[in-house]
Amino acid sequence: MVSPDAARELALALPNVSEQPYHGIPSFRVAEKIFANLPDDEHMHLMLGEDEIREAASSFPDSCHEQRWGKKLAALRVSLEEIDE
């Protein structure tokens, strides 16, 4: 299990990352581009390429799922309770 605070610390430990709110939720950015967010206490969304999203979702089916916004495959939805650091 990874707590929301631990997920935040991991994201902020990456080079040049800043945290800013986006529509009321914490988002993590490099050069003003969002690469992750914490929509709730149970999940983190990682904005990856479609191939990377599919690969991670198939490699970790218990903890990672494809997240679509409309018809677009847009993020990897990570269940913080089901994943280890």
Side-chain angles (χ1 to χ4, degrees):
M1 176 183 177
V2 175
S3 71
D5 289 337
R8 174 179 276 113
E9 288 177 25
L10 287 168
L12 291 172
L14 297 169
N16 304 312
V17 172
S18 64
E19 179 179 347
Q20 297 176 15
Y22 181 74
H23 295 286
I25 63 173
S27 71
F28 303 93
R29 304 163 184 245
V30 173
E32 297 302 313
K33 184 170 176 146
I34 297 174
F35 72 89
N37 66 37
L38 283 167
D40 55 46
D41 287 343
E42 289 98 31
H43 301 96
M44 181 173 243
H45 292 160
L46 302 175
M47 287 58 171
L48 306 170
E50 289 187 4
D51 290 341
E52 290 84 6
I53 292 168
R54 287 187 182 99
E55 183 178 339
S58 68
S59 296
F60 303 96
D62 293 334
S63 57
C64 297
H65 302 92
E66 295 178 3
Q67 178 71 45
R68 294 184 178 273
W69 281 289
K71 294 183 180 183
K72 181 181 179 189
L73 180 55
L76 182 70
R77 184 172 174 89
V78 179
S79 173
L80 298 177
E81 292 182 358
E82 301 295 329
I83 196 131
D84 295 322
E85 284 185 39

